[in-house]
Amino acid sequence: MTSRESGKKDIPKTDARTSAQAAAFALPEAMTGRASPAKAAVGDKPVFDYIASLPQPQRGIAEAIDALAATTLPSLQRSVKWGMAYYGVGDGWCFSCGGFARHVKLMFINGAALEPVPPVAPVGMGKSTRGVELESVDDINEVEIVAWMTQVTSVPGVGGRKH
């Protein structure tokens, strides 16, 4: 019996694009080499697109971190690498921000040299990388994060030497 014969309305089936879009919001539980399927690209727009693709509350946290970076570091450069937003000043990338299932990781390359040293040492991001895991916008300690952003830009980042 067809749907017309049974009196039921024809309901369109979801296509593969809808399923793929839903899968884009399934963030990993922990660091596994990539935070999301976002493609690598340099510039502001790819980072803004990556942040916009995150579900809440991760999107709000990442937007707040991005805004804080933009006001703290006037010559800020952005990129998407390994499924996360990367930030740098000069010739190297200094910190990253990536959405995960229950939090956003804000990781500082060479973070072991910061004062105070950020508490989280992620697996697979290098021995000196340190950061914080933020579960809500309320977890953002602006004074501490601004201090870390300022300090980390004075040491060499990944991908180049500082001037």
Side-chain angles (χ1 to χ4, degrees), residues 81-144:
K81 296 177 175 292
W82 302 289
M84 297 173 61
Y86 271 74
Y87 298 87
V89 175
D91 293 333
W93 303 108
C94 303
F95 58 95
S96 64
C97 181
F100 291 84
R102 293 185 183 91
H103 60 276
V104 167
K105 282 188 188 292
L106 174 60
M107 295 291 122
F108 296 92
I109 299 155
N110 295 320
L114 302 178
E115 289 293 330
V117 175
V120 175
V123 175
M125 286 192 74
K127 292 181 181 181
S128 65
T129 300
R130 298 291 184 279
V132 291
E133 294 179 352
L134 308 164
E135 294 180 7
S136 77
V137 177
D138 295 335
D139 292 343
I140 298 172
N141 179 334
E142 287 187 14
V143 172
E144 193 167 55

Side-chain angles (χ1 to χ4, degrees), residues 1-154:
M1 180 184 289
T2 68
S3 58
R4 289 184 202 269
E5 292 169 343
S6 67
K8 294 180 184 174
K9 291 185 178 181
D10 286 324
I11 299 172
K13 292 182 180 178
T14 58
D15 63 347
R17 286 178 295 156
T18 306
S19 297
Q21 289 168 343
F25 292 107
L27 297 172
E29 295 287 325
M31 189 69 66
T32 57
R34 292 178 59 108
S36 81
K39 296 199 185 301
V42 176
D44 294 347
K45 185 176 178 347
V47 170
F48 298 153
D49 290 346
Y50 163 72
I51 291 171
S53 76
L54 296 173
Q56 291 292 359
Q58 290 88 341
R59 182 182 324 132
I61 297 166
E63 287 170 343
I65 294 299
D66 186 87
L68 199 55
T71 58
T72 303
L73 306 169
S75 55
L76 182 68
Q77 297 171 10
R78 296 176 177 94
S79 181
V80 173
K81 296 177 175 292
W82 302 289
M84 297 173 61
Y86 271 74
Y87 298 87
V89 175
D91 293 333
W93 303 108
C94 303
F95 58 95
S96 64
C97 181
F100 291 84
R102 293 185 183 91
H103 60 276
V104 167
K105 282 188 188 292
L106 174 60
M107 295 291 122
F108 296 92
I109 299 155
N110 295 320
L114 302 178
E115 289 293 330
V117 175
V120 175
V123 175
M125 286 192 74
K127 292 181 181 181
S128 65
T129 300
R130 298 291 184 279
V132 291
E133 294 179 352
L134 308 164
E135 294 180 7
S136 77
V137 177
D138 295 335
D139 292 343
I140 298 172
N141 179 334
E142 287 187 14
V143 172
E144 193 167 55
I145 291 173
V146 164
W148 287 333
M149 286 178 177
T150 304
Q151 289 176 54
V152 80
T153 59
S154 68

